[in-house]
Amino acid sequence: MRCPLLYRFRVIDRLPEKPSEAATRGTLVHAVLERLFDAPAAERTAPRARALVPRQWDRLLETRPELGELFADDPEGERLAQWLGEAEGLVERWFALEDPTSLEPAERELSVEAELDSGLRLRGVIDRVDVAPTGEVRIVDYKTGRAPRPEYADEAWFQMVFYALVVRRLKGVLPRRLQLVYLGSGDVITYDPVEADLRRVERRLLALWEAIRRATETGDWRPRKTRLCGWCDHQALCPEFRGTPPVYPLLAGGAGA
């Protein structure tokens, strides 16, 4: 949806991408908020959450040592300390938006998978699922950036209704509420979906998959220039920046379907 050529580079060519400080900070903050619920409710405090930040960073480095490259040119550790402090600030802001002592999530970092009638298989990872005593389901997603302006919010809501569609298929329950928690700006945005929303997203997914199928067969993956291009690792290979993509591996017989 964001850029067909970027999809090709990531999914088909599998070109490497450098880790970014922003994305890695998001991964770290998500890990802290997940782990905080391991503690009893009364112990889910802001100081405890802040203390989890450096420990979760060490764990992250154990599983993904390549992330250490982010601070390879920081021998004194000053940039790392500032970066960790920013992560701590995002974690602490969460306490002004939600009260973890009153929450008992049914699921955290839940991997979900469901199949549509068409045979299209959907997969995703939901940050948090809350279930009320009455059985109503709330899907919560943490964002470490700022809340977008309404005209740029479509991608985030598409993701959330996608999750609702998968949960509906798996559990037979329409989630009562979708909730986006923007830690960067301190906003909590909610939406109560209806069945028509799920049907619209399902139609959109089928159309998207059909476009992917056609592009996979033809090799016609066109770039889509947006304000996010400035953060792309593949500008040197992108026609929008006078680059030339590598030979398409599927047409060259270099990869399987």
Side-chain angles (χ1 to χ4, degrees):
M1 290 167 58
R2 185 180 299 167
C3 176
L5 185 60
L6 180 59
Y7 178 93
R8 176 204 145 170
F9 286 162
R10 286 178 170 170
V11 178
I12 297 176
D13 297 278
R14 299 186 182 181
L15 300 180
E17 295 181 332
K18 297 177 183 177
S20 74
E21 291 187 17
T24 305
R25 183 169 50 240
T27 300
L28 174 59
V29 169
H30 277 72
V32 170
L33 298 184
E34 179 190 6
R35 292 276 69 84
L36 183 65
F37 284 103
D38 290 342
E43 297 177 19
R44 298 171 194 160
T45 63
R48 184 186 184 97
R50 290 178 68 99
L52 283 173
V53 170
R55 286 184 289 191
Q56 289 300 315
W57 172 237
D58 289 341
R59 282 190 175 186
L60 200 54
L61 284 176
E62 288 177 7
T63 57
R64 296 179 58 190
E66 70 276 9
L67 295 179
E69 298 174 9
L70 286 169
F71 303 102
D73 59 348
D74 182 37
E76 302 299 322
E78 294 178 2
R79 278 184 47 239
L80 174 59
Q82 179 181 353
W83 182 81
L84 289 172
E86 292 168 353
E88 291 174 1
L90 291 170
V91 167
E92 189 161 23
R93 179 172 289 161
W94 177 60
F95 285 81
L97 306 176
E98 295 191 287
D99 177 10
T101 65
S102 65
L103 295 171
E104 291 297 341
E107 302 285 353
R108 292 172 275 154
E109 294 296 315
L110 174 66
S111 294
V112 291
E113 180 175 323
E115 187 171 300
L116 301 181
D117 295 339
S118 64
L120 180 61
R121 187 167 294 275
L122 310 178
R123 297 186 182 94
V125 179
I126 302 174
D127 288 346
R128 199 180 85 216
V129 178
D130 301 331
V131 179
T134 56
E136 294 176 315
V137 173
R138 177 173 64 181
I139 296 175
V140 180
D141 193 74
Y142 308 119
K143 303 292 187 186
T144 49
R146 303 180 65 83
R149 297 200 301 268
E151 61 266 34
Y152 296 118
D154 180 66
E155 186 174 318
W157 286 119
F158 177 82
Q159 173 193 2
M160 296 301 285
V161 180
F162 174 97
Y163 290 153
L165 174 61
V166 175
V167 169
R168 182 75 171 87
R169 288 276 172 164
L170 285 176
K171 308 287 188 182
V173 175
L174 175 67
R176 175 69 177 82
R177 174 154 294 178
L178 308 176
Q179 180 166 304
L180 287 164
V181 181
Y182 286 96
L183 301 173
S185 55
D187 294 298
V188 176
I189 305 175
T190 62
Y191 179 71
D192 297 344
V194 296
E195 292 285 355
D197 296 320
L198 274 58
R199 290 194 294 271
R200 279 194 294 270
V201 163
E202 183 169 348
R203 289 194 297 269
R204 195 170 171 186
L205 284 167
L206 293 174
L208 180 62
W209 182 247
E210 177 60 21
I212 290 171
R213 187 192 62 77
R214 288 196 304 268
T216 301
E217 292 176 351
T218 64
D220 185 12
W221 299 92
R222 300 185 183 185
R224 182 174 297 139
K225 195 169 185 178
T226 70
R227 60 194 178 94
L228 298 175
C229 290
W231 287 274
C232 183
D233 283 346
H234 309 301
Q235 290 186 14
L237 300 174
C238 179
E240 290 288 347
F241 295 88
R242 299 183 180 179
T244 302
V247 174
Y248 187 52
L250 298 188
L251 296 182

